[in-house]
Amino acid sequence: IATAKDMHKIAVTWSDFAPRVHKQYPHLLAEMFAYCIAAAHLRLPHMLVDSLMVSAAGIGGEGWKFVKDVPAGEVCAFASHPDHIVHPVPSVIHYCQRYQVDRYMWGKRKVPHDIFTCEHPLLVETPMDLGSGKYLSAITNMRTMEKKEMTAEKEKMEAFVVCALTSATNDAMEHFKTEHCEGGGNMERTYSLLTKKSIVDS
């Protein structure tokens, strides 16, 4: 959170520093380092808050402690429709990872570019007991059904993100179809991000 005046100062300085930082460090996160340098240059210190966002399951400095407080059997349903009065959970998911429990997954590079069309089906719904400790693995190879084991704690965190993003994506697709498609469009919940096809075509 920043005032418009401070954010404008940072943005101007940041855009000045970013090319120079990238020239010295032409790698991922260069623009983030440039932001830090810009804020320091302007003597605008930041206060770190570690409860607003989650990104990689279990990593420090994020709001996973709040996710852990949600009962395991409720985590998927709650993530799909959060109520911060019942359980305060992070409001932001920085989806820079691939998240998966069993055959249910969400990855930004797996989302088709044509999801906002009348013909594209919605995503396969996650079972509401995802994250309960029942699954404890992720399928890594659909052909051989090879699985990677995970702890119950890891399953719960991954499920929180998969369920939240699947629900949010479907909500957005439904809204588009309701507003723009004659007859409401394709509302079948059949598209798997893991297999990259509709399960009825499998």
Side-chain angles (χ1 to χ4, degrees):
I1 300 173
T3 64
K5 186 177 180 181
D6 284 346
M7 200 65 235
H8 180 263
K9 289 179 183 175
I10 292 174
V12 171
T13 309
W14 183 16
S15 62
D16 180 41
F17 285 176
R20 290 188 274 168
V21 172
H22 187 266
K23 187 174 182 179
Q24 294 184 46
Y25 183 79
H27 306 288
L28 188 65
L29 306 186
E31 82 289 353
M32 297 186 190
F33 293 135
Y35 177 92
C36 296
I37 295 169
H41 178 76
L42 295 168
R43 300 175 189 243
L44 291 171
H46 287 42
M47 180 177 73
L48 296 177
V49 179
D50 63 3
S51 60
L52 295 179
M53 182 272 297
V54 289
S55 177
I59 198 168
E62 298 183 0
W64 291 111
K65 60 185 177 182
F66 295 99
V67 174
K68 292 176 184 177
D69 289 341
V70 180
E74 301 172 20
V75 72
C76 187
F78 189 81
S80 300
H81 304 285
D83 182 342
H84 294 271
I85 295 175
V86 178
H87 297 293
V89 292
S91 299
V92 176
I93 295 175
H94 177 212
Y95 48 82
C96 62
Q97 311 292 325
R98 172 184 169 132
Y99 309 94
Q100 184 179 348
V101 177
D102 195 62
R103 66 181 63 242
Y104 306 96
M105 65 89 62
W106 202 97
K108 63 183 180 182
R109 291 183 177 86
K110 294 283 190 177
V111 177
H113 294 171
D114 64 342
I115 61 168
F116 292 115
T117 60
C118 298
E119 299 77 25
H120 202 287
L122 303 177
L123 303 184
V124 171
E125 286 190 326
T126 52
M128 288 298 104
D129 62 351
L130 207 67
S132 65
K134 174 182 175 181
Y135 297 88
L136 300 177
S137 65
I139 296 173
T140 56
N141 187 315
M142 285 299 293
R143 186 175 54 80
T144 63
M145 297 303 288
E146 185 178 345
K147 295 183 178 182
K148 181 178 181 181
E149 304 299 317
M150 64 177 67
T151 64
E153 184 178 69
K154 171 86 167 173
E155 180 197 330
K156 185 178 181 181
M157 290 185 285
E158 293 277 329
F160 177 83
V161 180
V162 172
C163 294
L165 292 179
T166 299
S167 177
T169 304
N170 278 343
D171 285 350
M173 293 170 73
E174 279 192 66
H175 178 75
F176 171 86
K177 292 170 188 293
T178 300
E179 294 295 320
H180 301 285
C181 301
E182 186 177 346
N186 186 354
M187 292 288 191
E188 293 183 356
R189 298 172 184 268
T190 57
Y191 191 83
S192 167
L193 292 180
L194 182 62
T195 61
K196 296 190 287 186
K197 61 183 179 179
S198 179
I199 57 173
V200 296
D201 299 332
S202 299

